[in-house]
């Protein structure tokens, strides 16, 4: 989820109001849901705008299909880019990213990155992230995220495989010669990467089932993070496997991220990521708490009410105004229904057995619980204290 175009600063969040609840057409939502069940990733062109028809497009990866370049106005197929494995099957990448000039498309999948020329649809160039399956060098596993620096000629890739003493799960690559520059010390299964827009030497990373965002200064020792942006401790925050994306405003001042409780936290980066000579020798990173945490999508439920969680899967700053967009939506299952039916059936069968002694019938429901969404919504928040509340 991105705002287009760019860039202006975001003011200090002194006040916060919900200015619009963005409703989605039901027919469009149903069609999108059917398509998204088998989809894996999508990426919008860097300078996409409805006023620029040629650049108004995005790429999407769908399971067991080619990577498709689609027109954002009407969904027309413009081009396709195949990724084929050794058994001649199509591979759907788990991460997609355009380079800064938007003439190359980078697709991450297991143990490799496929690089396509947008102007020439067809097979691309494969960049292995590890020499071989048995090798312990490089990055192994699914490449889950790719991020490009806004100033320098390099990019980073991250893997879902947790890091170990012999292997990191984040690496810095050169775009000009497509070679690894150095590893970066990760921790858990990686789920998101992003450079600071105004300080491109600062890299941020989020991890699956973890409630902290780590920051590294690429000019110093990358085995130890500089800062750790950690939300308030809560055991519920680490229960979801869903990828939760964070965002940094275009001034590089504020970092925002959602959680599993329907809340959004905002961190003040300021100059906290910069290193001086004394901090560069420090062993332990500095923990940073959120400047603001607010209930965005019906969070703060009782601890036992696990099925009531509303995961805020993505947030995005508006580059032209002091606004923040939050998206919620996750699958829920009816828990306890099958157990209740089974208990009732056991009770009925016990009564029947005590009465007649000839039957012992237990009715077991064969229906699988179907997932459903409680809150699939977009909300636009304003940090401008003069902004009044408008209802959609």
């Amino acid at each position: 989820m991105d705002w287009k175009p760019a860039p202006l600063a975001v003011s200090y969040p002194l006040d916060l109001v919900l200015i619009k609840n963005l409703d989605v057409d039901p027919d469009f939502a149903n069609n999108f849901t059917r398509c998204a069940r088998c989809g894996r990733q999508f990426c919008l062109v860097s300078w996409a705008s409805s006023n620029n028809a040629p650049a108004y497009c995005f790429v999407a990866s769908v399971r067991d299909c080619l990577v498709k370049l689609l027109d954002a106005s009407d969904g027309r197929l413009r081009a396709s880019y195949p990724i084929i494995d050794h058994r001649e099957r199509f591979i759907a990448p788990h991460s997609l990213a355009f380079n800064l000039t938007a003439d190359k498309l980078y697709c991450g999948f297991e143990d490799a990155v496929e690089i396509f020329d947008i102007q020439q649809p067809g097979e691309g160039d494969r960049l292995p992230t590890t020499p071989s399956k048995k090798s312990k060098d490089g990055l192994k596993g699914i490449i889950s995220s790719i991020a490009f620096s806004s100033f320098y000629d390099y990019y980073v890739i991250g893997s879902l495989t947790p890091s170990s003493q012999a292997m990191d799960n984040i690496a810095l690559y050169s775009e000009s010669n497509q070679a690894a520059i150095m590893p970066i010390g990760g921790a858990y299964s990686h789920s998101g990467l992003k450079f600071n827009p105004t300080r491109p030497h600062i890299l941020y990373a989020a991890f699956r089932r973890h409630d902290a965002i780590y920051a590294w200064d690429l000019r110093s020792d990358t085995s130890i993070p500089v800062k750790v942006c950690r939300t308030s401790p809560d055991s519920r925050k680490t229960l979801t496997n869903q990828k939760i994306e964070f965002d940094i405003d275009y001034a590089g001042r504020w970092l925002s991220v959602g959680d599993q409780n329907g809340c959004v936290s905002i961190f003040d980066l300021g100059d906290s990521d910069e290193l001086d000579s004394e901090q560069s020798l420090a062993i332990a990173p500095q923990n940073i708490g959120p400047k603001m945490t607010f209930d965005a999508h019906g969070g703060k439920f009782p601890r036992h009410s696990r099925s009531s969680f509303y995961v805020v899967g993505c947030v995005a700053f508006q580059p032209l105004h002091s606004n923040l967009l939050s998206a919620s939506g996750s699958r829920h299952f009816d828990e306890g229904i099958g157990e209740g039916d089974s208990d009732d059936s056991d009770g009925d069968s016990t009564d029947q057995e005590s009465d007649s002694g000839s039957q012992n019938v237990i009715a077991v429901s064969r229906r699988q619980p179907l997932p459903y969404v409680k809150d699939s919504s977009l909300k636009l928040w304003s940090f401008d204290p003069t902004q009044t509340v408008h209802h959609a």
Side-chain angles (χ1 to χ4, degrees):
M1 183 173 66
D2 291 320
W3 287 97
K4 302 298 176 186
L8 275 184
V10 174
S11 61
Y12 190 90
L14 295 175
D15 196 8
L16 178 74
V17 293
L18 174 64
I19 62 174
K20 185 165 293 188
N21 207 332
L22 304 179
D23 296 328
V24 180
D25 181 71
D27 295 335
F28 172 80
N30 293 333
N31 294 332
F32 181 80
T33 302
R34 285 195 293 269
C35 296
R37 287 175 182 173
C38 57
R40 286 188 175 176
Q41 190 61 267
F42 74 96
C43 181
L44 196 67
V45 176
S46 303
W47 52 76
S49 173
S50 57
N51 298 325
N52 185 6
Y56 196 46
C57 58
F58 66 95
V59 291
S61 67
V62 180
R63 185 177 55 196
D64 300 330
C65 294
L66 296 78
V67 179
K68 299 180 180 181
L69 180 65
L70 304 173
D71 193 294
S73 59
D74 54 11
R76 289 183 295 108
L77 177 64
R78 292 191 180 183
S80 59
Y81 308 92
I83 304 177
I84 304 175
D85 63 5
H86 62 284
R87 289 182 286 182
E88 298 185 352
R89 298 185 307 177
F90 291 119
I91 301 175
H94 291 259
S95 57
L96 297 169
F98 289 99
N99 62 351
L100 295 181
T101 56
D103 61 341
K104 299 288 185 181
L105 174 64
Y106 287 69
C107 305
F109 54 102
E110 187 173 4
D111 295 338
V113 175
E114 197 86 2
I115 305 173
F116 295 100
D117 187 347
I118 297 298
Q119 304 298 329
Q120 299 179 358
E123 295 186 5
D125 299 325
R126 185 161 301 183
L127 175 64
T129 59
T130 181
S132 64
K133 291 287 185 180
K134 296 182 179 180
S135 175
K136 295 183 180 180
D137 298 330
L139 265 66
K140 302 184 73 66
I142 296 174
I143 305 303
S144 58
S145 183
I146 305 173
F148 283 84
S149 172
S150 56
F151 288 92
Y152 304 124
D153 181 37
Y154 55 65
Y155 62 96
V156 290
I157 60 176
S159 171
L160 283 179
T161 302
S163 62
S164 62
Q165 295 181 353
M167 180 183 62
D168 294 316
N169 61 353
I170 303 176
L172 185 70
Y173 276 74
S174 172
E175 186 181 4
S176 58
N177 55 19
Q178 298 300 339
I181 300 176
M182 63 179 178
I184 300 173
Y188 309 90
S189 297
H190 169 267
S191 63
L193 288 170
K194 196 176 289 290
F195 283 98
N196 191 304
T198 58
R199 286 167 288 177
H201 55 275
I202 301 296
L203 174 68
Y204 301 90
F207 299 91
R208 176 180 289 183
R209 300 178 67 88
H210 196 59
D211 61 348
I213 297 176
Y214 292 76
W216 289 271
D217 192 329
L218 302 183
R219 303 170 301 177
S220 62
D221 183 10
T222 56
S223 63
I224 301 175
V226 181
K227 305 289 180 180
V228 178
C229 300
R230 192 181 302 275
T231 58
S232 57
D234 193 328
S235 60
R236 295 177 296 164
K237 296 180 185 297
T238 60
L239 294 176
T240 181
N241 282 323
Q242 183 173 341
K243 179 185 289 188
I244 298 179
E245 298 184 4
F246 63 95
D247 192 30
I248 304 172
D249 74 290
Y250 279 82
R253 176 70 185 277
W254 304 104
L255 184 149
S256 179
V257 64
D259 61 24
Q260 185 176 331
N261 305 326
C263 298
V264 174
S265 299
I266 299 178
F267 298 85
D268 184 4
L269 301 180
D271 296 331
S272 61
D273 298 325
E274 298 295 337
L275 283 174
D276 55 29
S277 58
E278 296 181 358
Q279 289 177 329
S280 61
L281 301 177
I283 298 177
Q286 179 182 356
N287 290 324
I288 301 176
K291 280 284 186 179
M292 171 187 291
T293 299
F294 61 94
D295 184 4
H297 292 268
K300 301 180 181 179
F301 291 98
R303 293 183 178 272
H304 65 273
S305 180
R306 179 176 177 180
S307 63
S308 299
F309 292 165
Y310 296 87
V311 177
V312 182
C314 188
V315 293
F317 284 102
Q318 219 281 2
L320 301 178
H321 303 282
S322 300
N323 296 335
L324 177 73
L325 187 67
S326 62
S328 174
S330 60
R331 295 183 301 173
H332 297 267
F333 294 87
D334 289 326
E335 298 180 358
I337 295 181
E339 296 178 358
D341 295 341
S342 178
D343 294 339
D344 295 340
S345 301
D346 292 340
D348 295 340
S349 62
T350 303
D351 295 339
Q352 292 176 1
E353 184 178 1
S354 61
D355 294 338
S356 62
S358 60
Q359 292 181 351
N360 186 12
V361 179
I362 299 178
V364 179
S365 175
R366 298 180 180 275
R367 186 181 63 180
Q368 296 290 336
L370 297 177
Y372 63 96
V373 178
K374 289 186 177 181
D375 179 20
S376 180
S377 62
L378 295 173
K379 292 185 179 181
L380 183 62
W381 305 87
S382 175
F383 300 105
D384 187 356
T386 62
Q387 178 71 52
T388 58
V389 180
H390 300 280
H391 299 282

